């Protein structure tokens, strides 16, 4: 039966390896998740498609839209997504079936007195800040909401690395990022994550939090996560567990195996995703691709990547070059010890350099390309051998491992894995091409955008690092 | 020369993906959640281990000496020395208490502190300790002009490794009804010590 299922619809070279069941079990056990079959998924890498997919999701919603994100700015795209939400709420209200909208953004990114959501609130949307720091009610290093999920009607969702601002969606000036649009039973698990985050946010904003020690708060959150109930037996989830929020699936939207990965330092001392990644690296046989903008990894992950190379596994780590770093200063420096060790171990560390002069050249010849190359990488992705791919909000670094909330999807699908591989291959060879201008015969040739770090780069990093590694390691919980 | 469109298209492959046959995971597709207990039981069964690790009660004593500069009312600038002792069971509560001394140009204060929180292990690039606590503080302020004041303040103490910061607000009153306000930020060096019991 199992073999027959694989043969039906499979393509040459796409047969599952004997270890796939063991791999699935590992993901489930270490990642503290379960697999759902029959999902339909779409990789969202192009910023234009990533934007359209969000608009489609919101404009097609009939009952509810849930959004969690780290930051939500008041720039063009950040404002437009609010306007689209508001328009949809008005449309639904006019039909007599109002749209329920819950928005959750991290408190540090929301600002205490932001007025940007007043319009949505006036229409009935609920907007909350996750784990507000105000008045020191939480430690300076405490959990920040870093997961990015959008769910419509309990049927479709997008999860990945994009927040809401221009830099994620403007095709002329963007960070490369990944997201996955999913339709199927995995959406229920994502929605359960969101509803628990919503309940935790409500719980933490109550005044009595002042009288709670951290241990007590963690006890409440852990109880909620494992049982769906607070220690007093009350469940904030029950009002949502019906056909309106979790509609039964009429038919299988697709055939892809997806598991929802979620991390929260109030629930687990270490992120399950981080532990899972280390185990996956340990069992990788042929190749590993890993992309993150902030590679200050926990020591166990660095060691696992180091060992993988020594086993003969091809490891490609894709990060930002210091010239294209999203954050400078200590945040940039904090990744250098990891990068130095991995370069010296033989890991292929590829650094996205972008090309700061490209914008000037494009402006000079008045070229108007449909899309510019990304100015930096913000994507968080892991590809293990030829079967498993993870797209996540986690940077796989110290903050993501020990402090932030993070969400992602593990996808057990050779087609998806192969597409991610071709995408990475394409990125790493993206050089010496004509940036096709849409307004005439103007020509802009783009030089190499990515470089492999070597011994010279290690020397530069060592010089920059100086004697600050001890301080950077000690303070690494802040970045 | 390959055009930008082709190269970017190669790099940004998007679109519908070929599905792969079911049954790798061998589990039945879950049903839509309708009952909170049933859903969590089914999820835990599918995970195959506890979804959340149980936390064992582990008593810990913390010692937290610290010293530094305090900026703001009542002294505007002064120095502080504190010694705290904390106790935690690791699962439900933590509390701490301590004594301190503050001196500025015009006043000296004796500080008695009690609050929630304590010394804790922090996860970072290397193992280290820190401190977090919310507190109530009794301030016995000796003012050169108005004599002895008794006051209360509330605040928060944060420490990562050797670096600590405290925010505190409150007020104190003398026998002749003179008020002294506290609105202070203290930057300190600390030595959080964990003593397992």
């Amino acid at each position: 039966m199992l073999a027959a299922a694989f043969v039906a619809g499979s393509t040459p070279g796409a047969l599952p390896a004997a270890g796939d069941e063991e791999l699935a079990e590992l993901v489930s056990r270490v990642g503290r998740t379960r697999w759902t079959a029959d999902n339909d998924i779409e990789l969202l890498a192009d910023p234009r498609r990533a934007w359209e997919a969000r608009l489609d999701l919101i404009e097609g919603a009939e009952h509810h839209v849930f959004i969690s994100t780290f930051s939500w700015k008041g720039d063009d795209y950040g404002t437009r997504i609010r306007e689209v939400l508001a328009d949809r709420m008005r449309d639904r209200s006019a039909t007599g079936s109002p749209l329920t909208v819950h928005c959750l953004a991290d408190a540090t990114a929301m600002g205490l007195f932001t007025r940007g959501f007043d319009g949505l609130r006036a229409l009935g949307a609920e907007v909350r800040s996750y784990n507000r720091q105000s008045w020191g009610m939480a430690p300076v290093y405490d959990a920040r909401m870093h997961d990015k999920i959008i769910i419509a009607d309990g049927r479709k969702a997008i999860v990945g690395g994009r927040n809401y601002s221009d830099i994620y969606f403007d095709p002329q000036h963007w960070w490369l990022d990944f997201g996955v649009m999913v339709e199927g039973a995995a959406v229920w698990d994502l929605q359960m994550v969101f509803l628990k985050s919503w309940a935790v946010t409500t719980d933490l904003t109550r005044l009595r939090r002042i009288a709670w020690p951290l241990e007590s708060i963690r006890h409440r959150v852990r109880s909620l996560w494992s049982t769906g109930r607070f220690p007093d037996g009350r469940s904030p989830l029950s009002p949502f567990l019906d056909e309106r929020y979790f509609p039964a699936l009429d038919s299988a939207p697709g055939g892809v195996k997806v598991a929802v990965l979620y991390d929260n330092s109030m629930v687990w001392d270490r992120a399950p995703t981080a532990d899972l990644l280390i185990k996956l690296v340990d069992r990788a046989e042929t190749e590993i691709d890993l992309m993150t903008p902030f590679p200050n990894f926990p020591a166990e992950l660095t060691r696992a990547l180091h060992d993988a190379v020594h086993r003969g596994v091809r490891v490609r780590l894709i990060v930002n070059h210091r010239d294209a770093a999203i954050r400078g200063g200590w945040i940039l420096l904090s990744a250098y010890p990891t990068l130095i060790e991995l370069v010296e171990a033989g890991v292929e560390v590829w650094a996205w350099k972008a090309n700061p002069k490209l914008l000037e050249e494009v402006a000079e010849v008045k070229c108007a390309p449909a899309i510019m190359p990304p100015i930096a990488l913000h994507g968080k992705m892991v590809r293990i051998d030829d079967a498993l791919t993870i797209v996540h909000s986690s940077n796989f670094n110290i903050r993501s491992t020990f402090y932030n909330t993070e969400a992602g999807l593990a996808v057990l699908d050779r087609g998806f894995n192969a597409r991610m591989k071709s995408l990475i291959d394409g990125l790493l060879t993206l050089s010496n091409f004509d940036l096709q201008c849409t307004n005439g015969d103007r020509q802009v040739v783009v030089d190499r955008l990515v470089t492999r770090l070597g011994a010279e780069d290690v020397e530069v990093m060592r010089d920059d690092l100086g004697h600050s590694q001890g301080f950077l390691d000690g303070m690494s919980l802040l970045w | 020369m390959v055009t930008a469109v082709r190269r970017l298209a190669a790099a940004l492959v998007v679109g519908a993906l070929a599905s792969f046959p079911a049954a790798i995971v061998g589990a039945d597709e879950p049903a839509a959640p309708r009952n909170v207990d049933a859903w969590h039981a089914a999820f835990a069964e599918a995970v195959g281990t506890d979804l959340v690790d149980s936390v064992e009660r582990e008593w810990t004593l913390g010692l937290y000496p610290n010293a530094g500069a305090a900026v703001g009312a009542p002294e505007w600038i002064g120095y502080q020395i504190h010694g705290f002792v904390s106790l935690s069971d690791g699962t439900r509560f933590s509390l701490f208490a301590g004594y301190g001394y503050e001196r500025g140009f015009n006043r000296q204060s004796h500080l008695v502190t009690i609050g929630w929180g304590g010394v804790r292990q922090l996860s970072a690039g290397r193992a280290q300790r820190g401190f977090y606590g919310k507190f109530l503080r009794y301030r016995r302020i000796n003012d050169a002009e108005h004599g002895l004041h008794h006051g209360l303040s509330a605040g928060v103490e944060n420490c990562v490794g050797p670096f600590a910061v405290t925010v505190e607000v409150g007020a104190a009153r003398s026998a002749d009804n003179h008020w002294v306000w506290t609105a202070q930020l203290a930057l300190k060096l600390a030595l959080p010590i964990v003593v397992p019991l």
Side-chain angles (χ1 to χ4, degrees), chain A residues 6-329:
Chain A
F6 289 150
V7 171
S10 65
T11 53
L15 286 174
D20 278 5
E21 285 186 62
E22 181 251 330
L23 176 62
E25 190 276 333
L26 177 76
V27 171
S28 186
R29 178 170 46 81
V30 181
R32 311 294 176 102
T33 184
R34 67 173 174 182
W35 289 96
T36 56
D38 302 335
N39 295 284
D40 184 37
I41 62 171
E42 178 186 350
L43 177 63
L44 302 173
D46 187 316
R48 297 166 296 185
R49 177 64 195 131
W51 176 250
E52 285 170 7
R54 281 163 174 80
L55 299 190
D56 291 346
L57 214 64
I58 293 169
E59 288 167 351
E62 295 185 347
H63 180 262
H64 67 272
V65 174
F66 294 156
I67 299 177
S68 70
T69 186
F70 173 66
S71 65
W72 194 328
K73 295 191 174 172
D75 55 15
D76 186 24
Y77 282 83
T79 302
R80 278 162 64 186
I81 199 86
R82 283 193 284 256
E83 290 171 353
V84 172
L85 269 171
D87 287 345
R88 187 60 185 164
M89 290 181 78
R90 286 188 203 96
D91 290 348
R92 293 303 301 168
S93 292
T95 67
S97 303
L99 187 71
T100 300
V101 173
H102 290 179
C103 301
L104 200 49
D106 188 68
T108 56
M110 283 282 271
L112 191 55
F113 304 109
T114 180
R115 307 296 303 271
F117 291 89
D118 286 0
L120 276 177
R121 284 190 170 111
L123 291 167
E126 287 196 61
V127 183
R128 293 181 187 167
S129 301
Y130 183 84
N131 204 12
R132 185 164 283 293
Q133 283 273 352
S134 307
W135 321 120
M137 290 302 109
V140 289
Y141 48 80
D142 204 13
R144 303 271 48 96
M145 167 163 274
H146 196 249
D147 58 80
K148 305 106 169 43
I149 303 170
I150 174 168
I151 302 162
D153 292 342
R155 293 181 183 277
K156 275 190 178 183
I158 297 172
V159 60
R162 289 185 178 87
N163 297 295
Y164 292 99
S165 75
D166 292 350
I167 201 68
Y168 300 98
F169 301 107
D170 181 352
Q172 302 302 320
H173 194 256
W174 57 292
W175 290 342
L176 175 71
D177 217 321
F178 299 120
V180 175
M181 184 154 73
V182 57
E183 184 176 3
V187 177
W188 296 333
D189 290 355
L190 275 170
Q191 186 160 273
M192 200 62 93
V193 163
F194 177 88
L195 290 171
K196 287 178 178 177
S197 294
W198 188 256
V200 168
T201 303
T202 310
D203 210 42
L204 291 182
T205 49
R206 293 199 171 131
L207 198 58
R208 67 186 180 199
R209 179 183 177 180
I210 296 170
W212 283 343
L214 292 183
E215 289 79 2
S216 174
I217 292 171
R218 292 187 68 175
H219 176 66
R220 289 179 65 81
V221 176
R222 284 181 185 222
S223 170
L224 173 68
W225 231 271
S226 57
T227 67
R229 297 179 184 277
F230 285 122
D232 62 5
R234 185 177 59 86
S235 175
L237 306 175
S238 295
F240 297 96
L241 302 187
D242 59 30
E243 181 72 23
R244 296 168 305 157
Y245 287 96
F246 290 91
L249 298 173
D250 302 330
S251 59
V256 182
K257 316 298 166 298
V258 172
V260 172
L261 298 172
Y262 180 72
D263 308 318
N264 185 325
S265 61
M266 286 191 265
V267 182
W268 299 279
D269 291 338
R270 285 172 56 94
T273 300
D275 287 337
L276 173 62
L277 180 52
I278 292 164
K279 294 282 185 192
L280 291 172
V281 169
D282 282 343
R283 76 180 294 286
E285 294 176 352
T286 57
E287 56 188 6
I288 298 166
D289 285 335
L290 198 166
M291 181 189 289
T292 173
F294 304 113
N296 54 323
F297 297 146
E300 300 95 321
L301 176 56
T302 307
R303 200 175 307 123
L305 292 166
H306 188 291
D307 292 347
V309 171
H310 282 240
R311 288 200 311 275
V313 177
R314 183 188 189 193
V315 180
R316 296 190 296 187
L317 172 63
I318 304 105
V319 299
N320 284 311
H321 192 271
R322 55 185 173 277
D323 296 340
I326 289 175
R327 302 276 181 269

Side-chain angles (χ1 to χ4, degrees), chain A residues 321-460:
Chain A
H321 192 271
R322 55 185 173 277
D323 296 340
I326 289 175
R327 302 276 181 269
W330 288 338
I331 295 178
L332 174 64
L333 288 178
S334 69
Y336 281 6
T338 305
L339 295 178
I340 290 170
E341 181 174 344
L342 293 180
V343 169
E344 291 184 332
V347 169
E348 291 182 31
V349 179
W350 293 89
W352 186 259
K353 291 187 76 166
N355 182 351
K357 292 181 180 170
L358 189 58
L359 281 175
E360 294 170 23
E361 290 176 35
V362 167
E364 201 171 300
V365 300
K366 295 186 170 56
C367 171
I371 183 168
M372 288 282 286
I375 60 166
L377 308 181
H378 189 259
K380 309 99 173 26
M381 172 285 304
V382 187
R383 199 179 65 80
I384 304 285
D385 295 334
D386 63 351
L388 187 77
T389 312
I390 293 173
V391 173
H392 219 289
S393 66
S394 171
N395 292 308
F396 314 117
N397 63 357
I398 301 283
R399 283 286 318 170
S400 293
T401 300
F402 296 109
Y403 296 97
N404 290 343
T405 74
E406 307 283 2
L409 294 182
V411 180
L412 193 55
D413 183 279
R414 284 182 159 66
F416 190 82
N417 183 289
R419 279 159 178 79
M420 188 62 93
K421 178 178 168 56
S422 83
L423 191 154
I424 298 300
D425 289 344
L427 275 178
L428 299 186
T429 55
L430 200 59
S431 67
N432 193 32
F433 63 90
D434 178 15
L435 189 67
Q436 206 166 48
C437 305
T438 58
N439 54 338
D441 295 333
R442 300 166 179 85
Q443 192 179 55
V444 175
V445 177
V446 180
D447 201 355
R448 195 163 180 77
L449 292 169
V450 64
T451 185
R452 184 175 170 182
L453 299 186
E456 286 181 11
D457 299 286
V458 166
E459 285 309 306
V460 172

